[in-house]
Amino acid sequence: MHKDLFMAFFRSGMLGYGGGLSAIPLMQKEVVERYQWMDDEEFSDILALANTLPGPINTKMSGYIGWRLKGFWGLINCVLAASIPTAFLLVLLLTTLSAFKDKPWVHGMSQGVLPIAGVMIGVLAWDFVKKSKVLLGWGPTIGLAIGSLFIIEWLGIHPALVIILLIATALFTKEDKEKDGIQGEAQ
């Protein structure tokens, strides 16, 4: 399994051109669809939590997934697999791009990557919306999306604070429902 872990995160790191967020859909394909180490809900939970913590998202997620599946050596394996491509490509691409920075193909390549990364992130976001619809229904899903957009974009609140607030709300709501269920059974 260590070889599969390494290859899964190496591929997502190597092909995730455009930043950590562009590697997330690739990581999801490897972890959820190809190897089925976890389901979409678990992956979404890890993604939400990783977004609240400082540092590169790809490294945090690969480290946690490696830890969860194979302990300490799984963590080391996955973090190295996610980091090696980035370090290697950074040196190679920046050296190459620096040497040819005045060429039109370099400028075109840089501009072409942005829409592709945007589409990949959009597809992942739409998958999350569809899963949220199944779990919550359209009303709460749309309400949370619009509310989060308003809070993050127009009020300037950091996304981590919104996620922490939602987690706290879910925890307290769950406790209230459990208490209501226990009281209902006692009567």
Side-chain angles (χ1 to χ4, degrees):
M1 179 185 239
H2 282 285
K3 181 182 145 213
D4 290 339
L5 277 172
F6 185 87
M7 288 310 298
F9 290 99
F10 184 82
R11 275 191 293 268
S12 65
M14 185 64 92
L15 301 174
Y17 187 81
L21 284 177
S22 64
I24 302 302
L26 300 170
M27 191 183 300
Q28 188 265 352
K29 289 260 187 234
E30 295 287 333
V31 171
V32 175
E33 295 177 21
R34 182 176 184 158
Y35 292 107
Q36 299 175 351
W37 290 322
M38 60 185 58
D39 61 22
D40 278 319
E41 187 176 346
E42 292 170 294
F43 188 84
S44 299
D45 291 343
I46 293 168
L47 177 60
L49 185 58
N51 271 316
T52 65
L53 302 172
I57 187 130
N58 196 19
T59 308
K60 292 180 285 187
M61 289 189 68
S62 62
Y64 176 75
I65 292 168
W67 173 268
R68 184 163 173 242
L69 295 173
K70 282 294 188 182
F72 177 77
W73 293 112
L75 177 143
I76 298 297
N77 186 6
C78 291
V79 168
L80 285 175
S83 302
I84 288 171
T86 303
F88 175 74
L89 289 175
L90 181 68
V91 171
L92 180 69
L93 286 174
L94 287 180
T95 302
T96 303
L97 292 177
S98 178
F100 297 103
K101 65 183 173 192
D102 297 327
K103 301 289 183 189
W105 63 269
V106 171
H107 185 67
M109 181 183 74
S110 300
Q111 289 180 328
V113 167
L114 292 175
I116 293 168
V119 167
M120 290 170 61
I121 294 166
V123 167
L124 182 64
W126 180 245
D127 285 345
F128 287 152
V129 167
K130 289 189 299 189
K131 289 172 187 101
S132 295
K133 181 251 177 194
V134 171
L135 295 171
L136 299 172
W138 276 121
T141 297
I142 292 170
L144 282 170
I146 291 171
S148 297
L149 179 67
F150 176 77
I151 291 168
I152 293 168
E153 289 298 318
W154 288 293
L155 297 181
I157 305 293
H158 194 278
L161 295 175
V162 175
I163 292 170
I164 290 168
L165 177 67
L166 289 172
I167 290 171
T169 302
L171 288 173
F172 292 122
T173 303
K174 184 177 180 181
E175 286 180 11
D176 290 343
K177 287 180 182 177
E178 288 174 358
K179 287 179 186 175
D180 291 343
I182 292 171
Q183 289 174 355
E185 290 174 11
Q187 296 173 359

